[in-house]
Amino acid sequence: MTNLKTIDGETLMSQPLQPLNFVVDTLISQGLHILAGSPKVGKSWLALWLAVTVAKGEPVWGMRVKRGTTLYLCLEDSQLRIQNRLFEVTEDAPPNVHFCTESRILGNGLTEQLEQFLGEHPDTTLVIIDTLQMIRGTNYDNTYANDYRDLSVLKRLADVHGIAVLLIHHLRKEKADRRH
C-alpha cells in the first residue's frame, strides 16, 4: 500500500496557487455545475440565455462575465425550436455561440466530440449539456456509481480545459414510499 500524500498547513498556505476562473463572477466557475429541477420550469430557457449572454460578454444579473465561445448541446430540441427561442431572448445572436442538437453519448464518442470542438475553439468558456439523460445510453442503470462515473468524466474535461460545464438534469417526481 502506498502512503498518503499529505501537505502541511504551513506549506499549503505559502504556495502560490491559481484562483478559480469564473465565467460568471461568483456564480459559475470553471468546473462542473448541475442545474436540476422539475421538467418545464425554464431550465432550457435559462441555459439558452446564459449561452448567448456569455458569448456576448454581457453581465449576468449584474455580475461580470468572461466573454468567450459557448457551446449549447440542446439535445431535446430542433433547430427551429432553438431559432424561435433565440428570437425571444436576443435581437442578435453572436457567431461565437454554437448550438448542437445531436451528439454521441458518454463512453461512446461524446468526450472526443467535445475535445475536438474545444481544440477548434480554444477561447471556449462555457459548455452546456441539456440534458444528462440524453448523453447516456438507453440501457442505462441509474445508480450512484454510474452518476459518479459520468460526472467525473465531465468534471475532468472542464478542469483540463479551464472551462465551465453546465449540465441540465430533470428531477423526477417520485411517489413517497408508503409502508404500513
Side-chain angles (χ1 to χ4, degrees):
M1 180 174 180
T2 52
N3 295 338
L4 293 174
K5 292 183 179 182
T6 67
I7 185 168
D8 66 82
E10 181 181 13
T11 303
L12 182 59
M13 290 186 75
S14 66
Q15 284 189 341
L17 299 175
Q18 292 288 0
L20 283 177
N21 289 321
F22 277 85
V23 175
V24 178
D25 275 353
T26 71
L27 182 65
I28 302 174
S29 64
Q30 68 187 51
L32 177 65
H33 304 268
I34 299 172
L35 176 60
S38 301
K40 308 295 181 205
V41 295
K43 296 180 301 297
S44 295
W45 281 93
L46 176 60
L48 175 67
W49 177 75
L50 276 172
V52 170
T53 303
V54 169
K56 288 181 172 184
E58 294 176 348
V60 169
W61 302 314
M63 293 174 269
R64 283 192 332 245
V65 166
K66 180 181 178 187
R67 183 182 184 276
T69 293
T70 61
L71 172 62
Y72 182 15
L73 299 181
C74 28
L75 304 173
E76 296 182 331
D77 293 324
S78 66
Q79 287 186 358
L80 177 61
R81 186 174 189 191
I82 299 161
Q83 183 188 57
N84 288 338
R85 287 183 169 192
L86 268 175
F87 282 122
E88 294 288 325
V89 300
T90 188
E91 292 182 14
D92 58 332
N96 63 330
V97 59
H98 295 263
F99 302 96
C100 182
T101 59
E102 294 180 13
S103 74
R104 307 289 300 203
I105 60 173
L106 281 171
N108 192 18
L110 175 61
T111 306
E112 293 79 6
Q113 287 179 320
L114 292 172
E115 289 282 359
Q116 181 179 355
F117 180 88
L118 294 170
E120 293 169 359
H121 302 89
D123 65 330
T124 299
T125 57
L126 176 64
V127 172
I128 300 170
I129 301 171
D130 190 356
T131 65
L132 174 60
Q133 197 57 39
M134 294 298 290
I135 60 169
R136 290 180 154 169
T138 52
N139 297 330
Y140 199 79
D141 179 13
N142 204 12
T143 62
Y144 177 80
N146 287 331
D147 287 346
Y148 192 85
R149 180 198 64 223
D150 291 347
L151 298 181
S152 294
V153 168
L154 295 171
K155 182 182 181 329
R156 196 166 28 259
L157 179 85
D159 291 345
V160 165
H161 292 279
I163 63 169
V165 174
L166 179 62
L167 182 61
I168 310 295
H169 182 56
H170 295 307
L171 299 177
R172 288 181 289 139
K173 203 174 198 179
E174 302 276 343
K175 291 183 179 178
D177 184 14
R178 296 182 187 173
R179 294 187 180 159
H180 298 272

